Amino acid sequence: MEKRIYNHLKDENSLYLRQHSENPVNWYPFGPVALEKAREEDKPILLSIGYSSCHWCHVMAHESFEDMETAQLLNDNFVCIKVDREELPDVDSYYQLACQVTTGRGGWPLNAFLTPDLRPFFVGTYFPKESKHNLPSFKELVLNLSNSFKEDRETINQNADQVTEAITQAPKYEQKVEFEGHYPSAASVLNALKNYQDNDWGGYGPEPKFPHFSFMEWAVEHMLEGMVPQEFGEHIIKSIELMLMGGINDHNRGGIHRYAVDQSWKVPHFEKMLYDQAGLLKLLAKASLIYPSPLIFDTIIQTLDYIKYEMLSDDGFFFSAQDADSEGVEGLFFTFTKEEFVSALQNFDTELAKNIDTYIKWFDISDKGNFEDGLNVIALNPQYKSEYFSPEGWTQIRKIRQCLWEERKGRVPPQTDNKGVASWNFQLATALLETVQYSKIDVIQNSAKDLFKKVETKLIDTFFYHDDEGNFRIKTTTTRTGHVPLFEDYVFFAELLFKSYEILGANKDLELAMKTMDFIVKEFVNENQVYTRALSFTDVEPYENLHVPIFDQSYKSSLGTFISLLRKWSLHNEDFIEYYEKLEGSVDTLTHLSLQNPLAFGETLRALVYPDEAYRKIEVPKKWLETRQLMPYLVNFGHRFAICYHERDENSWQICTIRECEQQGSSFDEFVLLFTPPEKQDNA
């Protein structure tokens, strides 16, 4: 008699969990029911973590979790728990760290095999249905681990103890990186990476190619200050340009895919994540000041349009992600056969069809295709950039993109995960304000500002609630309530508040930002360590409260951002100096680890490279902001400047270091003179 299946996911709010609700696996959501079952039955746990837009999560679901024989093995021998990593980022971080400790890598889907008390004894990512590429089949793995749990419990417990001990240790470095002074300069860091540069296609290292947004943004910031030698600066710009030419950039609609699977940025892993759009906007707004290319400007405009029309909820928050697959096929929505490419141009712009061979060459379209099954990823061929980087050529590029977009509208689109993730929303909103600050193009500024206004007040309504004691709390996602306060949510909220104050001038934002920073120090910092969950909630969850992730993972490090905020805003609030000193040991660890692997610590570089003496507080009359006099000059104030406003009835201004005010004046003209090149002063 066939056993009945009891899948417990159909009533979940998470799209990812509902995607697995028809599996023959007896999935449980993470929570007390499943954990109690494991303890009562003394069964090991399979904790499977993924997210709705993850291609390889879909592959493994189809191969293994929809397979009746595999499901029966799991149901008989394990308590099976499904976790949406976007709903429970702290759970994901915990077991990702276990995977990195045991295998040296991580990713999704993540499959963690645990003792009944949640200690990991074996962790991996994707496993195939049939054994290949030195990976066992998932069925073989499940059977072997089940037998080991039954027959060799002592070894299982020893493994679990070792892994748990390893992941609960504070981060540390094996050896110091010797250097003189505060921290090596940007030039020194980039020089250390010289041999890792991909001089042909930009970026660093072999495929897969990730954008490394925080690292690239840090490099651009120092280029703007003249702190990067020309050869390294040229590599950074080349990397940005080739990335935007590649298929990782959606040329038809806008937005960037998560990473490229090849060295030339051409073939992406097609899912789109909200936080990547935030990283892209911040990077390009600043890069446009150095390299004002139509490729950069158009990418910003397209990305803003993409976010507005595809990622904005009617309730005033941004959706989390879009799938890599449509109609069950990866990349189908985004790719074109040669015949489809030609047909799109002929159908929507007959003039373009006259030069079709040229455009096929520009976009490197072929009968064979550059992806799978004769499909072509839309990407610009750098070999012909001298042809299309001209006023006439770029006009044709824009028309071709529009034709392809018109053709694509008739296709079945990838699924959008319409949950809101608090920390990702805060990052995107901050990126919109930075786009307003650093872009000199009116249409871009206005688009970013209008988009920000659509969510400005509604983000509070969406992600904040009062707990049982009446305290104001951040809800991590729109699909799950009541989770413990998480460090990254509060840090990225504080970052948004500070940036909103600088660009819009609301005193309430500055006040709330200061209170949020106080809360973070009180709730997440203890004995020189910074924790993922609020310390007053340490015993609420059945897994240890670990230190926060120290490097940039899918997106920038919240710890790096927190340190940046403390250092910058200590010029306005001296309490932050004391807060920063509490982190002395963590900063020392981050210093040496970041110098050993700078690409993985871009946000940490942004936090640590500037010495204390480089930070400046700019205090000006608020009326300059209100009358928009100040807006054209905000572009001069980069990462190390804290912009503050006074409401005195005068035009006094001052620029101060942590120790003294070094420049001051009593008129707007005097202030502007500081940012006017000498030749323009002579002609005034």
Side-chain angles (χ1 to χ4, degrees), residues 71 421 487 494 572 673:
V421 179
F487 177 78
H572 187 73
L673 202 60

Side-chain angles (χ1 to χ4, degrees), residues 662-680:
E662 58 185 12
Q663 290 179 305
Q664 53 191 350
S666 57
S667 74
F668 183 72
D669 289 341
E670 288 178 301
F671 182 77
V672 168
L673 202 60
L674 292 175
F675 310 104
T676 305
E679 62 271 15
K680 291 189 177 182

Side-chain angles (χ1 to χ4, degrees), residues 2 12 14 36 66 128 173 298 309 348 376 380 475 567:
E2 187 175 334
E12 290 296 307
S14 159
E36 184 61 29
E66 295 173 11
Y173 51 85
D298 279 14
Y309 293 112
F348 295 104
N376 293 275
L380 289 168
K475 181 168 62 173
R567 298 194 69 202

Side-chain angles (χ1 to χ4, degrees), residues 644-656:
C644 299
Y645 303 101
H646 70 75
E647 299 185 53
R648 301 186 296 273
D649 187 23
E650 57 186 48
N651 282 318
S652 64
W653 57 269
Q654 56 185 5
I655 300 177
C656 304

Side-chain angles (χ1 to χ4, degrees), residues 97 101 164-174 526-531 545-548 550 585-586 589-590 593:
L97 184 56
V101 164
T164 302
E165 182 179 1
I167 64 178
T168 53
Q169 295 297 310
K172 60 183 179 181
Y173 51 85
E174 297 298 326
N526 185 36
E527 295 182 357
N528 197 42
Q529 288 300 317
V530 184
Y531 290 87
N545 189 3
L546 296 188
H547 54 80
V548 298
I550 60 173
S586 292
T589 299
L590 285 172
L593 290 177

Side-chain angles (χ1 to χ4, degrees), residues 5-10 17 20-27:
I5 305 301
Y6 295 94
N7 188 306
H8 303 266
L9 302 182
K10 65 182 178 65
L17 297 187
H20 289 269
S21 64
E22 299 298 324
N23 293 169
V25 179
N26 290 349
W27 290 119

Side-chain angles (χ1 to χ4, degrees), residues 486-522:
L486 298 180
F487 177 78
E488 70 174 49
D489 291 341
Y490 289 85
V491 168
F492 291 133
F493 180 58
E495 181 187 36
L496 170 59
L497 290 169
F498 280 123
K499 183 55 64 176
S500 178
Y501 170 70
E502 289 185 302
I503 305 305
L504 303 177
N507 290 335
K508 62 179 178 58
D509 288 342
L510 180 62
E511 293 168 4
L512 184 53
M514 294 297 178
K515 291 179 181 178
T516 303
M517 293 292 281
D518 291 341
F519 176 82
I520 292 169
V521 172
K522 175 185 175 184

